[in-house]
Amino acid sequence: MNTPSPYTFVLFGATGDLSLRKVLPALFRAFRTGQLGADDAKDSGAGATDAGRILAIARKPMDAPAYHAWCEQHVRGHIKPDVWDESAWKRFLDTIDYMPLDLGREDEFGVLAERLSKRPGVRIFYLATGPSLFIPICEGLRSAKLNENSRIVLEKPLGHDLASSEAINDAVGAIFREDQIYRIDHYLGKEAVQNLLALRFGNAIFEPLWRRELIDNIQITIAEEIGVEGRGEFYEQTGALRDMVQNHLLQLLAIVAMEPPLSMDADAVRDEKLRVLRSLRQLDDESVSRNVVRGQYGGGAIRNSAVPGYTDEPGVPPDSQTETFVALKADIDNWRWAGVPFFLRTGKRLGERVAEIVVNYRATPYPLLGDATAQPGVNRLVIRLQPNESIRLYCLAKQPGEGMNLQSVHLDLAFDQFFKGHRMDAYERLLLDVINGRLALFVRRDEQEQAWRWVAPIQAYWSRQHKGPKRYAAGTWGPPAASALLTQYGSSWMEEDN
Ligand code: BG6
């Protein structure tokens, strides 16, 4: 196990939603398995680990014991029962200090610097705050010279369009070097995304199959059952295009489509992802209107329970035009992918929670064994990210008995059956990477801005439209237009084939 050098993990926004749902539970998981450094207390009964400490920062005046009580009340419930460990939790809390900080007062950053000066090692500043606070926090850190020997972690959304994201990147970039900046896209931390890299670059047999000559189309879906979960006001400012397409879906697309990198170094991998993003065919009004579908959920049922429509969610105005669903076709104009449509789709309140990448292969050159072989997608590779990570290869096999009757069968690799034991969640992996100074799974500025550049014509087109998103009932797979989008190209979404 990799034991990190000493570090202090400074968590801004320590009483916010992200901290309590994701960051602190992930740090606890890593602590519990000893990945945050030696847990001395376990063996000696002495104090908690000294390799790393967490300094929680928020506006609210309180001391460390009060913050621990807050964690008991709010964080505990977000830790899954299978990883819960009462005594590790107590020792984990011992590693957490608290400091109230008023961002409006520069001198308070001096107090922070004074406090941090007593601790050796690298400093990690994790900004689990809204993006409007990124610049004031970075400036405060600079004023106290805390930008040296440190790393900064930025959460999405990083801006709401290209210009605002450039403004944040410029301001942060004037204070921190690019190799100090860790932009999180938590999809990159998912085990199955790592496995996709292993599948593509650790095996010789897939590479010859990974190209236009054999592939008919590729589909990437991130479907959620949840709605906006009480975050109506936030979501109103965001919508599915900014929340999921600009980042998670385009990152997945980049990993699926990239060329083998020169090495697995952070920049070598990120260079290749960037090349894919740059090869995406630019959209115009005509292609947006033809190839991009936006939807918004109405009332319906999820797992037989009635759920309200988006405009009935708290914080959402009744005439909201915000999209909770996007389906689109993207084209990659390069040698490997010319002519292969990439269909991307994401939405809230859909029929099932599933994230997967579906590679549909072309039909056989002619139907020697009958019509069953004449359909694209008879051979299909499905990489499921969640739930139940798996890789499944569909092919046709002969049914036993007389005649040549073919049936679809699949070869299956279900990861949890093959690999037993501790599985890291995305945040746990990414936070450990920050602590250990590994940048490969973080988004570089140019990639992030290129993704904004690509979605810009969609944002512009929608902002000029009076017609809002198309309605779909909660619990379905989005508006019918999402199916019609694929029908235009002679295809269908995977679940419609079954
Ligand atoms: C976040 C979005 O980035 O990803 C949320 O802001 C979304 O709206 C979430 O629910 C989905 O992540 P996961 O890991 O649960 O698929």
Side-chain angles (χ1 to χ4, degrees):
M1 189 174 298
N2 201 350
T3 306
S5 319
Y7 63 88
T8 307
F9 190 99
V10 183
L11 178 60
F12 284 91
T15 53
D17 205 56
L18 183 66
S19 294
L20 68 96
R21 279 177 202 273
K22 298 282 188 193
V23 183
L24 289 164
L27 285 170
F28 170 68
R29 283 171 68 106
F31 176 84
R32 181 186 152 268
T33 48
Q35 296 173 94
L36 289 189
D39 181 4
D40 301 337
K42 226 180 198 162
D43 308 320
S44 64
T49 173
D50 207 40
R53 292 199 64 87
I54 298 167
L55 176 58
I57 292 187
R59 181 191 285 265
K60 205 169 176 213
M62 60 178 143
D63 56 12
Y67 185 68
H68 295 170
W70 181 90
C71 288
E72 285 280 356
Q73 203 184 338
H74 294 96
V75 182
R76 229 184 138 110
H78 291 288
I79 297 172
K80 296 207 179 105
D82 60 329
V83 294
W84 181 253
D85 175 335
E86 188 75 35
S87 91
W89 173 248
K90 294 267 177 301
R91 294 195 305 278
F92 174 66
L93 290 182
D94 281 345
T95 69
I96 307 182
D97 300 322
Y98 180 84
M99 178 181 158
L101 192 142
D102 179 351
L103 289 178
R105 295 187 44 186
E106 245 182 35
D107 56 323
E108 298 211 350
F109 282 89
V111 179
L112 173 62
E114 170 65 23
R115 218 165 148 158
L116 292 176
S117 68
K118 300 194 181 102
R119 285 203 42 84
V122 72
R123 295 153 189 153
I124 294 151
F125 298 112
Y126 192 111
L127 275 46
T129 65
S132 60
L133 298 182
F134 289 176
I135 298 177
I137 294 175
C138 288
E139 284 173 350
L141 294 172
R142 173 169 57 189
S143 71
K145 297 204 168 37
L146 283 171
N147 51 332
E148 290 149 23
N149 190 22
S150 58
R151 299 177 192 142
I152 184 136
V153 189
L154 304 176
E155 264 291 343
K156 72 178 256 291
L158 218 81
H160 50 90
D161 59 7
L162 178 60
S164 55
S165 132
E166 281 174 339
I168 295 175
N169 280 327
D170 281 347
V172 177
I175 297 171
F176 293 91
R177 292 186 316 272
E178 182 64 28
D179 66 0
Q180 295 177 285
I181 304 174
Y182 292 69
R183 293 180 193 81
I184 289 215
D185 181 315
H186 78 279
Y187 265 70
L188 296 184
K190 290 191 189 271
E191 192 70 35
V193 175
Q194 305 293 297
N195 256 313
L196 178 58
L197 292 171
L199 178 86
R200 289 201 55 199
F201 304 129
N203 296 288
I205 58 167
F206 292 105
E207 170 58 21
L209 307 180
W210 214 257
R211 55 190 60 253
R212 62 185 303 283
E213 289 80 0
L214 288 153
I215 293 177
D216 186 83
N217 68 78
I218 294 186
Q219 305 179 3
I220 307 179
T221 294
I222 305 179
E224 298 187 277
E225 284 178 13
I226 56 169
V228 289
E229 302 228 284
R231 297 189 306 159
E233 262 164 54
F234 158 79
Y235 201 81
E236 266 301 281
Q237 312 297 316
T238 313
L241 186 72
R242 294 187 178 108
D243 193 38
M244 304 293 285
V245 178
Q246 186 273 344
N247 34 71
H248 306 324
L249 277 174
L250 288 183
Q251 281 292 324
L252 292 180
L253 173 139
I255 290 180
V256 171
M258 75 188 199
E259 294 300 314
L262 292 180
S263 71
M264 290 314 282
D265 286 353
D267 276 331
V269 174
R270 300 189 298 180
D271 285 348
E272 293 307 331
K273 284 194 290 158
L274 177 64
R275 277 156 56 102
V276 174
L277 296 172
R278 284 201 177 134
S279 311
L280 281 172
R281 186 179 307 159
Q282 221 186 320
L283 297 165
D284 56 20
D285 282 359
E286 202 265 316
S287 50
V288 174
S289 105
R290 178 163 182 216
N291 292 329
V292 185
V293 175
R294 61 173 164 158
Q296 185 190 78
Y297 63 84
I302 300 277
R303 294 178 188 265
N304 297 325
S305 296
V307 295
Y310 177 68
T311 51
D312 294 322
E313 301 274 9
V316 177
D319 58 351
S320 168
Q321 304 271 301
T322 303
E323 79 287 354
T324 60
F325 175 97
V326 178
L328 58 83
K329 168 178 171 275
D331 293 281
I332 301 178
D333 285 337
N334 70 13
W335 200 263
R336 186 187 287 264
W337 296 117
V340 178
F342 282 71
F343 297 113
L344 312 188
R345 171 176 65 159
T346 185
K348 294 206 180 280
R349 290 285 191 227
L350 296 186
E352 191 186 336
R353 175 178 184 251
V354 62
E356 65 192 6
I357 298 164
V358 178
V359 180
N360 282 316
Y361 285 91
R362 290 187 190 279
T364 53
Y366 74 99
L368 178 64
L369 296 184
D371 286 348
T373 66
Q375 301 300 320
V378 160
N379 293 134
R380 140 182 305 176
L381 184 69
V382 180
I383 299 146
R384 177 169 278 211
L385 277 64
Q386 63 192 25
N388 312 328
E389 290 146 38
S390 63
I391 296 181
R392 192 173 261 201
L393 179 64
Y394 288 80
C395 38
L396 289 179
K398 181 189 163 301
Q399 285 173 6
E402 237 190 286
M404 180 57 82
N405 295 321
L406 301 184
Q407 185 186 324
S408 178
V409 294
H410 50 259
L411 307 170
D412 221 347
L413 170 59
F415 287 99
D416 56 351
Q417 283 169 25
F418 204 86
F419 299 105
K420 310 272 181 210
H422 175 70
R423 304 181 76 66
M424 276 195 192
D425 89 338
Y427 266 89
E428 181 182 358
R429 173 194 312 280
L430 293 176
L431 294 183
L432 282 168
D433 279 2
V434 177
I435 290 169
N436 290 301
R438 295 187 291 247
L439 268 165
L441 299 181
F442 297 85
V443 182
R444 206 169 55 191
R445 173 177 183 163
D446 45 11
E447 291 177 76
Q448 193 222 9
E449 291 180 356
Q450 188 59 33
W452 276 121
R453 207 164 281 125
W454 190 74
V455 299
I458 308 178
Q459 293 179 295
Y461 181 80
W462 286 351
S463 69
R464 280 184 271 112
Q465 290 294 302
H466 297 300
K467 269 194 294 175
K470 298 184 164 42
R471 285 299 184 104
Y472 60 97
T476 63
W477 283 96
S483 301
L485 167 67
L486 269 69
T487 313
Q488 297 181 58
Y489 298 98
S491 192
S492 54
W493 296 104
M494 178 166 141
E495 80 281 351
E496 293 169 355
D497 291 342
N498 296 330

